[in-house]
């Protein structure tokens, strides 16, 4: 599980999550231009006052765990529903922006596969 390839993917994913998670709090990257339906959806999430900060905090937490290589299987499980939602958002509301979502999801799947021995007991009865 400590191959150079796995390490590189883990660090790339960690840095991406840290950057985008921190951006939800600090706002150092401008928001991309979104189609009207996607923009309305993001505005409604922002209006709740809690969804985006929680997602941002989770991204930072997961990115930090991946970066320091602590509880990596747990971090990858936490990331799975987030990455699925990112793909679904782009699939249904912003198809031109789906490339980054696919990259995050594919890296997450590859890393989950690399740690599959850890997850195997979850699927035994």
């Amino acid at each position: 599980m400590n191959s150079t390839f796995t390490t590189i993917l883990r660090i790339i994913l960690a840095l991406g999550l840290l950057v985008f998670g921190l951006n939800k709090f600090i706002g150092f990257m401008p928001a991309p231009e979104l189609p009207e339906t996607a923009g309305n959806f993001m505005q409604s999430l922002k209006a709740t006052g809690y969804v985006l900060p929680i997602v941002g905090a989770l991204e930072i937490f997961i990115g930090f765990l991946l970066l320091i290589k602590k509880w990596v299987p747990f971090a990858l499980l936490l990331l799975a529903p987030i990455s699925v939602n990112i793909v679904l958002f782009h699939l249904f509301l912003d198809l031109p922006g789906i490339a980054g979502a696919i990259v995050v999801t594919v890296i997450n799947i590859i890393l989950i596969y690399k740690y599959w021995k850890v997850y195997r007991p979850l699927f035994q009865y």
Side-chain angles (χ1 to χ4, degrees):
M1 278 190 256
N2 289 331
S3 73
T4 303
F5 177 69
T6 303
T7 301
I8 291 169
L9 288 181
R10 181 177 48 79
I11 291 171
I12 288 170
L13 185 58
L15 293 175
L17 289 168
L18 287 170
V19 167
F20 286 102
L22 286 170
N23 189 56
K24 287 179 178 61
F25 293 101
I26 302 170
F28 51 86
M29 292 186 305
E33 188 66 33
L34 295 172
E36 184 179 355
T37 53
N40 291 341
F41 179 73
M42 291 305 292
Q43 280 302 106
S44 66
L45 291 179
K46 190 175 183 180
T48 66
Y50 74 92
V51 172
L52 294 180
I54 287 177
V55 171
L58 279 171
E59 288 173 347
I60 293 167
F61 178 65
I62 294 165
F64 180 72
L65 290 177
L66 292 174
L67 196 60
I68 65 169
K69 199 177 177 185
K70 188 79 169 170
W71 299 344
V72 173
F74 173 67
L76 295 172
L77 278 183
L78 282 178
L79 181 59
I82 295 171
S83 62
V84 167
N85 274 290
I86 294 169
V87 168
L88 291 175
F89 169 83
H90 287 287
L91 188 63
F92 288 101
L93 300 173
D94 183 28
L95 193 57
I98 200 166
I102 290 173
V103 169
V104 168
T105 303
V106 167
I107 292 173
N108 196 17
I109 290 169
I110 291 169
L111 291 174
I112 285 173
Y113 175 77
K114 291 288 187 180
Y115 284 89
W116 191 251
K117 288 179 186 176
V118 176
Y119 301 118
R120 191 172 291 137
L122 295 172
F123 299 99
Q124 295 175 355
Y125 57 96

